[in-house]
Amino acid sequence: MRVTIADVARNAAVSKTTVSRVLNGKGEVDSETAERVRTVIAELGYVPSSRAVGLARGNSRTLAMLVPSLTWPWVGEVLQGAADTLEAAGFGLLLFTCNRGEESMAQFTSQVSARAFDGVLVIEPENTRGSIAALHHQGLPLVLVDDRGQGADFPSVATTNLAGGASAAHHLLASGRRAPLVITGPAQFGCVQDRLSGFADVLAEHGVAQPESRTFEGDFTVRCGQSVIEYALADGQEFDSVFCHNDLSATGALHALRAAGRRVPDDVAVIGFDDIPIAAFTEPSLTTVRQPMQAIGEAAARRMLDHLSGTTPLEPEPVVLPTELVIRSSAPG
């Protein structure tokens, strides 16, 4: 049977409050009583709940992470980076998904109210900005991961999306491609706007027009990439390359081009974004703009830990990590 704090109090002839004060080093207990309590703790083998001790001290030594879904292809890498950093610092991690919309957010909010964690790392689920902002303004420490350009008031960790889009354009131009088709993500995302701007600005600098008819808003899915290519080919669009705003839509584009008899990269070069594990194993392997997902998780967790330790306050300015073009067979140099 598990030894409880009540067992310690009874054997030491003190109250549970006194035992709690000894455990938390509050200093309101005389040295003789404190020593007696510690002796009983050792004799009984009592192990206090780390969460209970943390709450008594005003912290739980636990962080939360709120994500849209675990099915997102790069969430696992971000989680691993955060978890490794927190574990090394003696912190735990609670994971919350938002698969059930408002019901999920209500459950998450209840845990905030119960002070189950000291802060939260957020990969922002859709339609949760208002709820997240309210919790933050009520005092919940928060770091956005992969900020989507709407979070000027939030601390965040992001990557150089503008430079990433620019690197894709430079690479295509250097290989003689001057008629790219672009498949974006949802237009309201700041990362999408930056990737598109970086790409289009480089084209404009080299006198290459990017007509609206060759730019398609997507939703980051394989099916989207496939559907856009099928539509563009049926519509008679002329293009010699495709820049997709994530690797899943690029994978769909590769499938559609192959099905239509277009050779990649001979007829059409394809570039993605993210460098998820599947990118190295598509046919042909995918040239893509790498985001350092694990490093993003590490940086977000470190930023929160520095805040909680009093080292560095959380400020709205983002921490920005560099992207890197990874050249593979779908768009060789």
Side-chain angles (χ1 to χ4, degrees):
M1 183 179 296
R2 184 174 180 272
V3 179
T4 68
I5 195 171
D7 297 325
V8 174
R10 183 172 58 255
N11 281 269
V14 297
S15 68
K16 289 189 291 185
T17 301
T18 298
V19 176
S20 179
R21 287 173 176 169
V22 172
L23 288 170
N24 295 297
K26 292 294 187 179
E28 299 97 336
V29 183
D30 66 81
S31 59
E32 182 179 343
T33 301
E35 183 59 31
R36 186 167 74 251
V37 170
R38 283 191 284 268
T39 298
V40 171
I41 287 173
E43 290 174 347
L44 296 179
Y46 172 64
V47 179
S49 161
S50 59
R51 181 172 180 271
V53 172
L55 291 176
R57 290 175 176 168
N59 63 76
S60 65
R61 294 193 68 80
T62 299
L63 293 186
M65 193 154 191
L66 177 65
V67 304
S69 170
L70 293 180
T71 61
W72 280 29
W74 47 259
V75 164
E77 288 187 72
V78 176
L79 274 170
Q80 192 64 61
D84 288 347
T85 302
L86 295 175
E87 182 180 348
F91 272 66
L93 179 64
L94 292 175
L95 178 62
F96 296 86
T97 65
C98 213
N99 291 322
R100 292 173 290 115
E102 292 183 5
E103 184 180 348
S104 295
M105 278 304 297
Q107 182 176 352
F108 173 73
T109 301
S110 72
Q111 295 300 302
V112 176
S113 301
R115 298 173 62 198
F117 44 82
D118 303 325
V120 61
L121 313 178
V122 180
I123 301 174
E124 185 188 343
E126 191 173 0
N127 300 321
T128 61
R129 175 54 61 105
S131 299
I132 292 169
L135 292 172
H136 182 57
H137 294 315
Q138 291 166 14
L140 176 66
L142 179 151
V143 175
L144 285 180
V145 176
D146 188 37
D147 175 37
R148 296 169 183 171
Q150 308 173 62
D153 295 334
F154 297 92
S156 64
V157 176
T159 57
T160 51
N161 287 292
L162 191 75
S167 69
H170 280 299
H171 185 67
L172 291 176
L173 291 172
S175 60
R177 315 284 177 162
R178 298 180 68 84
L181 184 149
V182 179
I183 304 175
T184 76
Q188 72 268 23
F189 290 172
C191 62
V192 167
Q193 297 164 19
D194 287 346
R195 291 170 196 178
L196 185 59
S197 294
F199 188 82
D201 288 349
V202 169
L203 293 183
E205 289 169 7
H206 289 78
V208 177
Q210 179 61 26
E212 290 186 7
S213 61
R214 285 207 306 262
T215 301
F216 296 84
E217 181 178 348
D219 61 4
F220 288 146
T221 64
V222 172
R223 181 58 193 160
C224 162
Q226 184 174 344
S227 298
V228 168
I229 296 300
E230 290 171 348
Y231 172 83
L233 292 174
D235 193 46
Q237 294 269 4
E238 295 292 334
F239 56 94
D240 59 14
S241 51
V242 182
F243 173 45
C244 297
H245 281 199
N246 79 330
D247 291 343
L248 289 182
S249 56
T251 300
L254 288 174
H255 286 309
L257 289 166
R258 185 184 305 113
R262 298 295 180 95
R263 297 169 300 164
V264 178
D266 295 350
D267 299 327
V268 182
V270 178
I271 296 180
F273 210 106
D274 287 338
D275 196 27
I276 62 176
I278 195 177
F281 300 100
T282 56
E283 182 55 46
S285 58
L286 184 62
T287 293
T288 186
V289 180
R290 174 181 292 158
Q291 296 197 91
M293 296 303 181
Q294 192 157 328
I296 291 173
E298 293 170 357
R302 175 52 53 196
R303 194 167 187 191
M304 182 64 73
L305 290 173
D306 287 346
H307 165 71
L308 295 174
S309 68
T311 304
T312 307
L314 284 176
E315 301 290 348
E317 290 76 14
V319 170
V320 182
L321 303 180
T323 53
E324 174 190 5
L325 183 68
V326 179
I327 299 173
R328 297 193 181 99
S329 300
S330 71

